[in-house]
PDB file of all heavy atoms in Angstrom:
ATOM      1  N   GLY A  46     -14.379  38.553  41.435  1.00 92.00           N
ATOM      2  CA  GLY A  46     -14.509  37.051  41.662  1.00 92.00           C
ATOM      3  C   GLY A  46     -14.142  36.260  40.420  1.00 92.00           C
ATOM      4  O   GLY A  46     -13.495  35.158  40.482  1.00 92.00           O
ATOM      5  N   PHE A  47     -14.691  36.724  39.349  1.00 91.00           N
ATOM      6  CA  PHE A  47     -14.498  36.054  38.075  1.00 91.00           C
ATOM      7  C   PHE A  47     -12.967  36.081  37.650  1.00 91.00           C
ATOM      8  O   PHE A  47     -12.456  35.138  37.212  1.00 91.00           O
ATOM      9  CB  PHE A  47     -15.353  36.709  37.023  1.00 91.00           C
ATOM     10  CG  PHE A  47     -15.288  35.980  35.590  1.00 91.00           C
ATOM     11  CD1 PHE A  47     -15.654  34.758  35.502  1.00 91.00           C
ATOM     12  CD2 PHE A  47     -14.809  36.652  34.520  1.00 91.00           C
ATOM     13  CE1 PHE A  47     -15.570  34.037  34.235  1.00 91.00           C
ATOM     14  CE2 PHE A  47     -14.775  36.155  33.321  1.00 91.00           C
ATOM     15  CZ  PHE A  47     -15.186  34.752  33.210  1.00 91.00           C
ATOM     16  N   ILE A  48     -12.351  37.208  37.835  1.00 91.00           N
ATOM     17  CA  ILE A  48     -11.005  37.390  37.518  1.00 91.00           C
ATOM     18  C   ILE A  48     -10.130  36.472  38.448  1.00 91.00           C
ATOM     19  O   ILE A  48      -9.204  35.701  37.967  1.00 91.00           O
ATOM     20  CB  ILE A  48     -10.431  38.905  37.853  1.00 91.00           C
ATOM     21  CG1 ILE A  48     -11.119  39.797  36.777  1.00 91.00           C
ATOM     22  CG2 ILE A  48      -8.881  38.993  37.836  1.00 91.00           C
ATOM     23  CD1 ILE A  48     -10.876  41.159  37.031  1.00 91.00           C
ATOM     24  N   LYS A  49     -10.419  36.334  39.700  1.00 89.00           N
ATOM     25  CA  LYS A  49      -9.772  35.387  40.680  1.00 89.00           C
ATOM     26  C   LYS A  49      -9.940  33.975  40.156  1.00 89.00           C
ATOM     27  O   LYS A  49      -9.037  33.176  40.221  1.00 89.00           O
ATOM     28  CB  LYS A  49     -10.312  35.602  42.046  1.00 89.00           C
ATOM     29  CG  LYS A  49      -9.861  36.845  42.732  1.00 89.00           C
ATOM     30  CD  LYS A  49     -10.508  37.035  44.129  1.00 89.00           C
ATOM     31  CE  LYS A  49     -10.196  35.990  45.117  1.00 89.00           C
ATOM     32  NZ  LYS A  49     -10.947  36.200  46.352  1.00 89.00           N
ATOM     33  N   GLN A  50     -11.101  33.619  39.664  1.00 85.00           N
ATOM     34  CA  GLN A  50     -11.476  32.285  39.281  1.00 85.00           C
ATOM     35  C   GLN A  50     -10.591  31.957  38.018  1.00 85.00           C
ATOM     36  O   GLN A  50      -9.941  30.837  37.865  1.00 85.00           O
ATOM     37  CB  GLN A  50     -12.856  32.122  38.829  1.00 85.00           C
ATOM     38  CG  GLN A  50     -13.227  30.676  38.413  1.00 85.00           C
ATOM     39  CD  GLN A  50     -14.706  30.659  37.898  1.00 85.00           C
ATOM     40  OE1 GLN A  50     -15.381  31.647  37.866  1.00 85.00           O
ATOM     41  NE2 GLN A  50     -15.067  29.492  37.448  1.00 85.00           N
ATOM     42  N   LEU A  51     -10.463  32.931  37.049  1.00 85.00           N
ATOM     43  CA  LEU A  51      -9.627  32.628  35.834  1.00 85.00           C
ATOM     44  C   LEU A  51      -8.258  32.523  36.191  1.00 85.00           C
ATOM     45  O   LEU A  51      -7.486  31.710  35.474  1.00 85.00           O
ATOM     46  CB  LEU A  51      -9.925  33.810  34.928  1.00 85.00           C
ATOM     47  CG  LEU A  51     -11.302  33.900  34.260  1.00 85.00           C
ATOM     48  CD1 LEU A  51     -11.326  35.263  33.342  1.00 85.00           C
ATOM     49  CD2 LEU A  51     -11.628  32.724  33.438  1.00 85.00           C
ATOM     50  N   GLN A  52      -7.734  33.293  37.209  1.00 81.00           N
ATOM     51  CA  GLN A  52      -6.318  33.191  37.506  1.00 81.00           C
ATOM     52  C   GLN A  52      -6.003  31.886  38.347  1.00 81.00           C
ATOM     53  O   GLN A  52      -4.999  31.169  37.981  1.00 81.00           O
ATOM     54  CB  GLN A  52      -5.983  34.333  38.446  1.00 81.00           C
ATOM     55  CG  GLN A  52      -5.852  35.684  37.722  1.00 81.00           C
ATOM     56  CD  GLN A  52      -5.416  36.865  38.643  1.00 81.00           C
ATOM     57  OE1 GLN A  52      -6.092  36.983  39.763  1.00 81.00           O
ATOM     58  NE2 GLN A  52      -4.420  37.475  38.277  1.00 81.00           N
ATOM     59  N   SER A  53      -6.869  31.464  39.129  1.00 76.00           N
ATOM     60  CA  SER A  53      -6.554  30.205  40.130  1.00 76.00           C
ATOM     61  C   SER A  53      -7.022  29.023  39.402  1.00 76.00           C
ATOM     62  O   SER A  53      -6.199  28.026  39.460  1.00 76.00           O
ATOM     63  CB  SER A  53      -7.318  30.397  41.410  1.00 76.00           C
ATOM     64  OG  SER A  53      -8.764  30.494  41.259  1.00 76.00           O
ATOM     65  N   LYS A  54      -8.161  28.949  38.831  1.00 73.00           N
ATOM     66  CA  LYS A  54      -8.606  27.705  38.266  1.00 73.00           C
ATOM     67  C   LYS A  54      -8.089  27.338  36.824  1.00 73.00           C
ATOM     68  O   LYS A  54      -7.617  26.309  36.579  1.00 73.00           O
ATOM     69  CB  LYS A  54     -10.095  27.605  38.207  1.00 73.00           C
ATOM     70  CG  LYS A  54     -10.755  26.384  37.602  1.00 73.00           C
ATOM     71  CD  LYS A  54     -12.262  26.391  37.601  1.00 73.00           C
ATOM     72  CE  LYS A  54     -12.872  25.122  37.032  1.00 73.00           C
ATOM     73  NZ  LYS A  54     -14.308  25.123  36.931  1.00 73.00           N
ATOM     74  N   HIS A  55      -8.100  28.441  36.084  1.00 72.00           N
ATOM     75  CA  HIS A  55      -7.591  28.306  34.645  1.00 72.00           C
ATOM     76  C   HIS A  55      -6.113  28.821  34.453  1.00 72.00           C
ATOM     77  O   HIS A  55      -5.537  28.526  33.436  1.00 72.00           O
ATOM     78  CB  HIS A  55      -8.527  29.033  33.774  1.00 72.00           C
ATOM     79  CG  HIS A  55      -9.903  28.486  33.740  1.00 72.00           C
ATOM     80  ND1 HIS A  55     -10.330  27.313  33.166  1.00 72.00           N
ATOM     81  CD2 HIS A  55     -11.067  29.093  34.360  1.00 72.00           C
ATOM     82  CE1 HIS A  55     -11.650  27.151  33.392  1.00 72.00           C
ATOM     83  NE2 HIS A  55     -12.026  28.204  34.093  1.00 72.00           N
ATOM     84  N   ARG A  56      -5.577  29.519  35.432  1.00 69.00           N
ATOM     85  CA  ARG A  56      -4.169  29.966  35.492  1.00 69.00           C
ATOM     86  C   ARG A  56      -3.904  30.781  34.224  1.00 69.00           C
ATOM     87  O   ARG A  56      -2.940  30.634  33.531  1.00 69.00           O
ATOM     88  CB  ARG A  56      -3.262  28.756  35.657  1.00 69.00           C
ATOM     89  CG  ARG A  56      -3.498  28.009  36.927  1.00 69.00           C
ATOM     90  CD  ARG A  56      -2.447  27.086  37.251  1.00 69.00           C
ATOM     91  NE  ARG A  56      -2.657  26.415  38.454  1.00 69.00           N
ATOM     92  CZ  ARG A  56      -2.414  26.884  39.640  1.00 69.00           C
ATOM     93  NH1 ARG A  56      -1.820  28.132  39.782  1.00 69.00           N
ATOM     94  NH2 ARG A  56      -2.602  26.268  40.730  1.00 69.00           N
ATOM     95  N   LEU A  57      -4.831  31.694  33.922  1.00 77.00           N
ATOM     96  CA  LEU A  57      -4.660  32.628  32.732  1.00 77.00           C
ATOM     97  C   LEU A  57      -3.873  33.884  33.181  1.00 77.00           C
ATOM     98  O   LEU A  57      -3.991  34.349  34.293  1.00 77.00           O
ATOM     99  CB  LEU A  57      -5.945  32.983  32.103  1.00 77.00           C
ATOM    100  CG  LEU A  57      -6.761  31.732  31.554  1.00 77.00           C
ATOM    101  CD1 LEU A  57      -8.152  32.217  30.981  1.00 77.00           C
ATOM    102  CD2 LEU A  57      -6.064  30.918  30.505  1.00 77.00           C
ATOM    103  N   SER A  58      -3.151  34.415  32.156  1.00 77.00           N
ATOM    104  CA  SER A  58      -2.513  35.670  32.452  1.00 77.00           C
ATOM    105  C   SER A  58      -3.489  36.778  32.459  1.00 77.00           C
ATOM    106  O   SER A  58      -4.643  36.641  31.915  1.00 77.00           O
ATOM    107  CB  SER A  58      -1.497  35.953  31.423  1.00 77.00           C
ATOM    108  OG  SER A  58      -2.026  36.188  30.124  1.00 77.00           O
ATOM    109  N   LEU A  59      -3.055  37.933  32.985  1.00 84.00           N
ATOM    110  CA  LEU A  59      -3.966  39.096  32.991  1.00 84.00           C
ATOM    111  C   LEU A  59      -4.329  39.592  31.481  1.00 84.00           C
ATOM    112  O   LEU A  59      -5.399  40.146  31.249  1.00 84.00           O
ATOM    113  CB  LEU A  59      -3.359  40.329  33.772  1.00 84.00           C
ATOM    114  CG  LEU A  59      -3.227  40.077  35.317  1.00 84.00           C
ATOM    115  CD1 LEU A  59      -2.521  41.266  35.917  1.00 84.00           C
ATOM    116  CD2 LEU A  59      -4.570  39.771  35.927  1.00 84.00           C
ATOM    117  N   ALA A  60      -3.389  39.476  30.627  1.00 83.00           N
ATOM    118  CA  ALA A  60      -3.636  39.823  29.216  1.00 83.00           C
ATOM    119  C   ALA A  60      -4.708  38.949  28.622  1.00 83.00           C
ATOM    120  O   ALA A  60      -5.607  39.394  27.911  1.00 83.00           O
ATOM    121  CB  ALA A  60      -2.432  39.774  28.417  1.00 83.00           C
ATOM    122  N   GLN A  61      -4.597  37.645  28.894  1.00 82.00           N
ATOM    123  CA  GLN A  61      -5.605  36.769  28.367  1.00 82.00           C
ATOM    124  C   GLN A  61      -7.029  37.068  29.098  1.00 82.00           C
ATOM    125  O   GLN A  61      -8.080  36.995  28.431  1.00 82.00           O
ATOM    126  CB  GLN A  61      -5.266  35.333  28.733  1.00 82.00           C
ATOM    127  CG  GLN A  61      -3.990  34.795  27.966  1.00 82.00           C
ATOM    128  CD  GLN A  61      -3.408  33.551  28.560  1.00 82.00           C
ATOM    129  OE1 GLN A  61      -3.415  33.237  29.698  1.00 82.00           O
ATOM    130  NE2 GLN A  61      -2.762  32.775  27.599  1.00 82.00           N
ATOM    131  N   ILE A  62      -6.968  37.297  30.434  1.00 88.00           N
ATOM    132  CA  ILE A  62      -8.245  37.596  31.165  1.00 88.00           C
ATOM    133  C   ILE A  62      -8.848  38.858  30.516  1.00 88.00           C
ATOM    134  O   ILE A  62     -10.092  38.914  30.468  1.00 88.00           O
ATOM    135  CB  ILE A  62      -7.951  37.753  32.613  1.00 88.00           C
ATOM    136  CG1 ILE A  62      -7.588  36.376  33.231  1.00 88.00           C
ATOM    137  CG2 ILE A  62      -9.191  38.272  33.319  1.00 88.00           C
ATOM    138  CD1 ILE A  62      -7.029  36.415  34.616  1.00 88.00           C
ATOM    139  N   LYS A  63      -8.032  39.823  30.276  1.00 89.00           N
ATOM    140  CA  LYS A  63      -8.630  41.145  29.663  1.00 89.00           C
ATOM    141  C   LYS A  63      -9.336  40.804  28.382  1.00 89.00           C
ATOM    142  O   LYS A  63     -10.442  41.389  28.082  1.00 89.00           O
ATOM    143  CB  LYS A  63      -7.474  42.096  29.411  1.00 89.00           C
ATOM    144  CG  LYS A  63      -7.971  43.455  29.031  1.00 89.00           C
ATOM    145  CD  LYS A  63      -6.813  44.493  28.745  1.00 89.00           C
ATOM    146  CE  LYS A  63      -5.929  44.735  29.915  1.00 89.00           C
ATOM    147  NZ  LYS A  63      -4.831  45.678  29.553  1.00 89.00           N
ATOM    148  N   THR A  64      -8.838  40.019  27.510  1.00 86.00           N
ATOM    149  CA  THR A  64      -9.472  39.636  26.320  1.00 86.00           C
ATOM    150  C   THR A  64     -10.783  38.938  26.477  1.00 86.00           C
ATOM    151  O   THR A  64     -11.850  39.240  25.927  1.00 86.00           O
ATOM    152  CB  THR A  64      -8.605  38.636  25.343  1.00 86.00           C
ATOM    153  OG1 THR A  64      -7.397  39.339  25.126  1.00 86.00           O
ATOM    154  CG2 THR A  64      -9.276  38.244  24.114  1.00 86.00           C
ATOM    155  N   ILE A  65     -10.865  37.958  27.514  1.00 88.00           N
ATOM    156  CA  ILE A  65     -12.101  37.297  27.825  1.00 88.00           C
ATOM    157  C   ILE A  65     -13.110  38.162  28.407  1.00 88.00           C
ATOM    158  O   ILE A  65     -14.242  38.119  28.029  1.00 88.00           O
ATOM    159  CB  ILE A  65     -11.640  36.106  28.848  1.00 88.00           C
ATOM    160  CG1 ILE A  65     -10.886  35.047  28.120  1.00 88.00           C
ATOM    161  CG2 ILE A  65     -12.977  35.498  29.460  1.00 88.00           C
ATOM    162  CD1 ILE A  65     -10.314  34.081  29.045  1.00 88.00           C
ATOM    163  N   LEU A  66     -12.688  39.177  29.318  1.00 90.00           N
ATOM    164  CA  LEU A  66     -13.715  40.083  29.816  1.00 90.00           C
ATOM    165  C   LEU A  66     -14.278  40.913  28.771  1.00 90.00           C
ATOM    166  O   LEU A  66     -15.420  41.280  28.707  1.00 90.00           O
ATOM    167  CB  LEU A  66     -12.972  40.932  30.921  1.00 90.00           C
ATOM    168  CG  LEU A  66     -12.602  40.206  32.231  1.00 90.00           C
ATOM    169  CD1 LEU A  66     -11.752  41.212  33.065  1.00 90.00           C
ATOM    170  CD2 LEU A  66     -13.767  39.779  32.962  1.00 90.00           C
TER     171      LEU A  66
END
Side-chain angles (χ1 to χ4, degrees):
F47 184 60
I48 292 171
K49 288 173 63 179
Q50 180 186 4
L51 291 176
Q52 285 181 308
S53 61
K54 184 178 179 181
H55 301 284
R56 301 192 178 279
L57 300 178
S58 68
L59 291 180
Q61 294 165 329
I62 292 172
K63 190 184 294 185
T64 299
I65 290 169
L66 290 172

